[in-house]
Amino acid sequence: MSKKGDATRQRILDAAEAMILSRGYAGTSLDGLIKSLGLTKGAFFHHFDTKSDLARHLVQRFSDEGIQLWQETKARAEKLSDDPLQQLLIIVGLYSELFENLAEPYPGCLLAAYVYEMQLFDDEVKPIINAEFLLMREEMAALIRKTAQRYPAQSQVDPVALADMFLSTFEGAFIMSKAFDEPDIIVQQLRLFKTFVETLFGQRAIAAA
């Protein structure tokens, strides 16, 4: 594909993502999308066969970007420390930095938007949506197990459930941030999660002493 064609494809994906996060998948029409981009229908269908085809490519791109971000963040944490608890806290801190100083509420997670309307998609979409979440759950849970071996938790902890709590913090914070029009909520919630992890593994009490 030519550079011009690739640029047009990216424009379509970017505009579709913004529109879906704002209106939902069902509320996003191809006619409205094509008109907003100033394209002809022929130009659109040169890149995507149908609205469903666009949806698959869009969620694949979003998932791939999320997986890349997770892998880069995890690698950075491993480079900065060989202590599992510190790696865990660094990961949370790095994700928190992504949402600092937002002027407006974060538009949200495209994967979550798709989950809300899962009945509109074919069976090929669900595994794409789950790929990022499952990878983060598995690798964060493994890191939590290593942490628990070195720093016995103050109370019983399920590594998978705690990993899910990290993911849930994001999704819940996105919703609350948009509902209250408060951009800082995401960072606040991530910092609370970090404090919870420190307290769970007894490190805040040690630091205070």
Side-chain angles (χ1 to χ4, degrees):
M1 185 180 293
S2 67
K3 290 184 178 180
K4 183 177 179 181
D6 186 61
T8 299
R9 182 184 179 85
Q10 293 306 313
R11 280 183 62 219
I12 294 172
L13 289 168
D14 290 343
E17 179 177 323
M19 197 171 286
I20 290 171
L21 286 173
S22 175
R23 306 177 185 179
Y25 180 78
T28 298
S29 70
L30 281 187
D31 287 342
L33 175 63
I34 292 169
K35 183 178 180 180
S36 72
L37 288 165
L39 296 175
T40 64
K41 288 189 176 181
F44 174 86
F45 288 115
H46 174 73
H47 295 282
F48 303 100
D49 296 333
T50 62
K51 183 180 178 182
S52 295
D53 183 44
L54 171 64
R56 281 193 296 272
H57 282 86
L58 192 57
V59 75
Q60 184 70 69
R61 183 182 75 158
F62 197 91
S63 178
D64 289 345
E65 290 173 350
I67 289 173
Q68 181 179 356
L69 174 62
W70 166 256
Q71 291 174 334
E72 290 174 351
T73 303
K74 184 169 176 282
R76 187 175 173 189
E78 290 170 348
K79 185 176 181 180
L80 291 171
S81 177
D82 59 4
D83 180 280
L85 176 57
Q86 290 306 311
Q87 290 176 1
L88 185 58
L89 297 176
I90 289 169
I91 287 171
V92 178
L94 291 174
Y95 270 93
S96 179
E97 287 180 3
L98 295 174
F99 302 99
E100 289 181 351
N101 304 316
L102 293 179
E104 298 179 356
Y106 188 72
C109 173
L110 186 69
L111 303 184
Y114 275 43
V115 168
Y116 296 144
E117 300 181 275
M118 187 67 77
Q119 72 278 5
L120 301 178
F121 305 107
D122 57 39
D123 292 339
E124 294 180 15
V125 172
K126 189 172 182 179
I128 301 173
I129 293 174
N130 286 346
E132 178 185 350
F133 294 148
L134 288 173
L135 176 66
M136 292 180 69
R137 168 197 262 186
E138 179 181 338
E139 295 193 349
M140 179 164 269
L143 186 55
I144 292 167
R145 289 189 189 95
K146 292 180 181 178
T147 299
Q149 290 173 358
R150 185 173 298 189
Y151 302 95
Q154 301 298 305
S155 60
Q156 187 173 359
V157 57
D158 181 333
V160 173
L162 186 56
D164 287 346
M165 182 180 177
F166 176 66
L167 295 169
S168 300
T169 298
F170 272 113
E171 301 306 331
F174 291 154
I175 293 171
M176 298 304 292
S177 178
K178 293 179 74 171
F180 292 136
D181 194 25
E182 295 179 10
D184 295 339
I185 286 180
I186 300 170
V187 172
Q188 291 169 357
Q189 292 301 303
L190 286 171
R191 286 176 178 169
L192 283 172
F193 177 82
K194 184 178 178 182
T195 298
F196 174 75
V197 171
E198 290 172 332
T199 303
L200 179 64
F201 292 106
Q203 295 310 292
R204 289 186 67 83
I206 292 173

